[in-house]
Amino acid sequence: MTMSDTIEADLPFLTALRRDLHAHPELGFEEYRTSDIVARLLEEAGLSVHRGLGGTGVVGTLQIGNGTRQIGLRADMDALAMPELVDRPHRSTVPGKMHACGHDGHTTLLLGAARELARRRGFSGTVHFIFQPAEEGRGGADRMVSEGLFDLFPCDAVYGLHNMPGLDVDEIAVVEGPQLASSDSWRVTFRGIGTHGAKPHLGRDPVTATGSFLVALQTIVGRVVDPLQPAVVSACSVQAGQADVLNVIPETVEIGGTARAYSAEVRDQLEAEIGRLANGTATTFGLSADYRYTRRIPPVVNHPDATSRALGAARDVFGKVRTSFPPSTAGDDFAALAQDRPGCYVWLGNGPAVEGAIHHNGGYDFNDEAIGPGVRFWTRLVERELAADDHGTA
């Protein structure tokens, strides 16, 4: 049977698997059921399986022939803490949790590729199938790396994939350069002197200072960062006073937000400028300021060589291959895997955003029509990367 035939025959199983994962979502570092399923299916396919990195992480290894090149393919497994709002046969059975970003699909695609490659054995070298916990802001990739992922499973290159509503299911985007922004958090606390709301002159008002700071914050992107360099600074939380006590000026205001950039230089600039404005505002209003900037996820930047290899596989599989596609200001901790080795992160078509159901929306669902193309892409990428003609006899 050809690759197309065997993957086609596996689609009913993979579709049922994807829907089962969707119905049983688990949050980051809690993917116990999911990792059990992943490990069992990898073992049944004949792969060597390692568990425990990042707590619930699973790595399946398939070594064929005498090729020395090793590559890693990554899928994230976690769901989000949000309710599913659309009634469907495979909707979430866990209140307040759902697969609203398609990680159920990503896990299924990589399992499908592992099964196909174990059947075909049409390459020479080693591929590590990395099933990562806790992509959604909990640091799963960092934890896997810090616990020895690449010491145990060295990789000459790593690849990631994410579904993209709005691209057709026979379409993929493979683009060199920045794909996702750094994702950092910042917090500012203004400390003044609380007083009666009718006697503001007796205190030092952090609420008025906060208003000034929030307006000034947008001048960082508008007037400090190079206009040809994308950046985002957003205040997302303000905590001050009590809603049922409206005649007291509070002593403190706590503000928090996010900062995004595609380059190390702009990332440094954002950290410095938010702090400069916080301290300047505090001085202006006679307050003190506590400032903390937390670097969470670096940007995802596709390496030229890895991108070229992924592009070749994409052209073998897809009717439409985009080599130009706008980067996202979202973040993905795949960046931690690709930080010290060539990496490429591609966008797999998920079909129309039905009724506006995009990522992190309560109506979102991974499109099962994308399973076949996604499995074919992963399979073809491995067979091209680890071609027997280049690396030895399979």
Side-chain angles (χ1 to χ4, degrees), residues 2-253:
T2 66
M3 176 172 75
S4 180
D5 292 335
T6 53
I7 292 175
E8 194 70 26
D10 211 22
L11 284 181
F13 170 81
L14 295 175
T15 300
L17 170 64
R18 202 287 299 178
R19 295 181 178 187
D20 176 76
L21 295 176
H22 187 93
H24 300 89
E26 297 173 300
L27 301 183
F29 299 126
E30 301 173 9
E31 304 95 338
Y32 305 111
R33 180 181 186 274
T34 304
S35 62
D36 283 346
I37 291 170
V38 168
R40 174 176 57 81
L41 291 175
L42 293 174
E43 288 170 350
E44 289 176 357
L47 278 70
S48 170
V49 176
H50 185 283
R51 303 188 64 175
L53 289 175
T56 48
V58 181
V59 180
T61 297
L62 183 61
Q63 194 274 326
I64 303 293
N66 59 7
T68 59
R69 185 168 173 81
Q70 302 187 57
I71 63 171
L73 312 181
R74 175 272 212 165
D76 35 20
M77 301 187 293
D78 55 324
L80 285 153
M82 56 184 290
E84 186 155 8
L85 302 180
V86 174
D87 192 14
R88 46 178 65 102
H90 54 279
R91 72 174 295 169
S92 172
T93 60
V94 185
K97 300 178 186 178
M98 76 166 291
H99 272 292
C101 204
H103 297 184
D104 51 341
H106 301 166
T107 300
T108 300
L109 298 183
L110 198 55
L111 282 169
R115 288 159 61 89
E116 177 68 8
L117 287 160
R119 285 191 294 262
R120 290 173 57 80
R121 302 174 65 85
F123 65 92
S124 182
T126 302
V127 55
H128 302 296
F129 300 87
I130 303 166
F131 292 87
Q132 179 206 311
E135 184 278 327
E136 296 288 0
R138 297 190 176 187
D142 271 331
R143 184 169 164 188
M144 289 189 82
V145 172
S146 68
E147 293 179 6
L149 173 65
F150 293 121
D151 297 324
L152 294 168
F153 308 103
C155 291
D156 297 305
V158 291
Y159 294 89
L161 174 154
H162 204 292
N163 72 90
M164 178 53 69
L167 292 181
D168 295 336
V169 292
D170 65 344
E171 191 171 14
I172 193 169
V174 185
V175 185
E176 185 179 329
Q179 299 305 299
L180 294 121
S182 58
S183 177
D184 298 332
S185 300
W186 56 268
R187 295 181 183 275
V188 172
T189 300
F190 288 124
R191 301 186 184 280
I193 299 173
T195 186
H196 197 296
K199 301 178 181 180
H201 62 290
L202 299 180
R204 294 288 186 178
D205 180 6
V207 176
T208 302
T210 296
S212 177
F213 171 74
L214 293 176
V215 171
L217 201 62
Q218 298 311 312
T219 65
I220 296 174
V221 174
R223 287 295 178 269
V224 178
V225 175
D226 182 339
L228 299 180
Q229 294 286 337
V232 175
V233 177
S234 292
C236 302
S237 173
V238 178
Q239 306 292 325
Q242 300 180 56
D244 56 351
V245 181
L246 300 182
N247 61 351
V248 174
I249 294 174
E251 182 175 323
T252 62
V253 177

Side-chain angles (χ1 to χ4, degrees), residues 345-356:
Y345 186 100
V346 306
W347 302 101
L348 174 71
N350 197 62
V354 179
E355 297 179 354

Side-chain angles (χ1 to χ4, degrees), residues 250-274:
E251 182 175 323
T252 62
V253 177
E254 297 179 357
I255 312 157
T258 188
R260 311 285 170 120
Y262 295 111
S263 73
E265 293 77 15
V266 174
R267 195 182 190 191
D268 291 343
Q269 210 170 12
L270 298 183
E271 178 176 3
E273 290 298 315
I274 296 169

